[in-house]
Structure formats: C-alpha cells, structure tokens
Amino acid sequence: METVELLADLGRETGSPSARRLRKDGLVPAVIYGKGEEPISVTVKYPELRAALSGDAGLNALINLKMGSKTQLSLVKDLQRHPVRQDVIHVDFVRIDSNSEVLVDVPLILTGEAKKVTQASGMVDQVMYYLSVRAKVDDIPTDVSADVSDLEVGTSLQVGDLELPPGVSVAGDPDATFAVGLITRSTKEYLRRLKAEEEGELEEGEEPTEGDAEPSDDSGDDEGPEE
C-alpha cells in the first residue's frame, strides 16, 4: 500500500484552552503512541490531514508522520469529531512496524445480484459494513468484497464464508453474520401464491380473489420491513 507524508509539529501545549486556540488556527491536536514508546503530543494541519486520508485507503492510509528530524510510520487509530459541526477535533496515531501485523477495519462491499431473493420480493439486508482484519501493512486491503449471488430468502452469509486476499485474516468472530435474505410481506404473498399454484389452487398467472387474500396481521409482531 502506498504511504503518504504528513508534517506534525512537536511541543504543543496540552489542555482544553490550548486545543481550542489551535483549532481556531486550522490545526488539529494529535498524539502518537505505541511500540512501547512514550506518547508524543503533536499538531497537524487540518487540510493536510484531510488530503492524507482522502485516498482509496481512507482512514487506513499508511502515514509517514514527520516530527522534526524523525519520521514514524503510523496509522490513524482514532479520529474524533465535533458532535454538531463534525469538525475533526483530535487524532490518535499509532506507531506501526512494516514487518508486523496490524488490526484494521476495512469496508465490506456486497457484490452480485441475489436473484432468488429478488424473485421472492425479498430484500438483502447488510448488517455489517466494516470487517476487522489482521494483515501486514503492505497487505492491508482497501476493502473486502462479498458475492451475495447465492443468497436466498431466510438464509444468511457469515464472515467465515468470505474469500480474503492473501496475507489477510479475520480478527473477529467467523460466525458473525454480515448479510441476510429478509422476508417481507410481499415475500409472504409470493410464497403463498407459489404454494397455491403447486397445489393447483391457482392457475399460473391467475390473481387471487378477495376471499383468497391473506388476512391482515394486526398482532404487532415484528415481521421485518414492509415494501
């Protein structure tokens, strides 16, 4: 993975008043720690930080943090934003070694078309959008893709089913579900009609009469999203 350079100024004062002054000047308070070394308080320029994290790797960008005469390979461990304005108010960098594995969260992208779910008027519910993986820095993927083509209504896909790039392993529970083929009210009607056709109650393509309609369920049970 390509690295980006980011200049960090040393020797900043700590504390809330100092941090507010820095933010007014377009600077972001930050700290770098890890590898058994003492944490160091630094500041970075917000435009340069935003540019460093705007590539395909996003928050997983490999950053050569330049601090005076020293340069340290690092990753963003935590990025704090203002709860209302969403401005970046603090950044944690973690020191990393290019020869060691690191733990990162990468985007999980669903690909393919779940035709059996679509035909049954169901929906694919993605319940996990980021995947925790371990990899050496050169093997960190931009994202992980998952093909949902074989997904059916009432079935699910687990993390252990994913095909990961070489050098990448799952850091979380391999039995965790990341996508589900959901049943909706339209799905139930489709399955009812299919069963009726198989039993000869309806000719294929025939619309059910009002008396054949499925009674509404006002019990309040959670039956999943409606279309």
Side-chain angles (χ1 to χ4, degrees):
M1 182 182 292
E2 185 179 356
T3 60
V4 294
E5 290 191 352
L6 181 62
L7 181 64
D9 291 330
L10 296 165
R12 73 171 174 88
E13 295 180 10
T14 57
S16 297
S18 174
R20 285 193 291 268
R21 289 194 299 269
L22 290 171
R23 295 183 192 113
K24 287 182 180 179
D25 293 335
L27 301 173
V28 180
V31 62
I32 180 168
Y33 58 88
K35 295 181 63 177
E37 300 181 31
E38 288 294 322
I40 300 176
S41 297
V42 298
T43 56
V44 295
K45 294 180 179 178
Y46 177 66
E48 295 180 2
L49 173 67
R50 182 175 57 186
L53 302 179
S54 63
D56 292 339
L59 291 177
N60 291 329
L62 297 178
I63 297 176
N64 276 322
L65 203 60
K66 300 183 68 175
M67 302 170 291
S69 60
K70 183 178 179 181
T71 299
Q72 174 64 59
L73 186 62
S74 65
L75 282 169
V76 171
K77 187 65 174 179
D78 186 47
L79 188 146
Q80 301 174 25
R81 294 183 179 274
H82 189 279
V84 177
R85 299 190 303 270
Q86 291 299 299
D87 300 334
V88 177
I89 59 175
H90 194 274
V91 184
D92 287 358
F93 296 97
V94 60
R95 300 181 182 98
I96 59 174
D97 187 331
S98 60
N99 295 318
S100 300
E101 285 189 336
V102 294
L103 174 65
V104 294
D105 292 335
V106 297
L108 182 58
I109 309 297
L110 301 188
T111 62
E113 181 182 356
K115 293 183 178 180
K116 291 184 179 180
V117 175
T118 303
Q119 290 169 356
S121 298
M123 62 177 289
V124 176
D125 182 27
Q126 183 173 357
V127 297
M128 182 184 297
Y129 290 87
Y130 286 88
L131 181 69
S132 294
V133 300
R134 293 187 182 277
K136 291 185 177 180
V137 293
D138 289 337
D139 295 326
I140 297 175
T142 302
D143 55 55
V144 172
S145 61
D147 188 355
V148 299
S149 300
D150 294 332
L151 189 65
E152 300 181 20
V153 168
T155 66
S156 61
L157 297 175
Q158 283 71 44
V159 168
D161 300 326
L162 293 168
E163 294 186 9
L164 299 177
V168 180
S169 61
V170 173
D173 182 3
D175 294 327
T177 295
F178 66 83
V180 181
L182 283 185
I183 294 177
T184 64
R185 290 185 184 270
S186 297
T187 313
K188 290 184 176 181
E189 174 60 19
Y190 169 84
L191 295 174
R192 188 196 70 80
R193 283 180 51 82
L194 186 63
K195 181 179 179 181
E197 289 174 359
E198 290 176 348
E199 295 177 352
E201 296 178 9
L202 287 174
E203 295 293 336
E204 186 173 355
E206 180 185 351
E207 292 296 329
T209 63
E210 184 175 349
D212 293 330
E214 182 180 350
S216 61
D217 184 1
D218 296 328
S219 64
D221 292 340
D222 184 7
E223 296 182 338
E226 293 187 20
E227 286 199 345

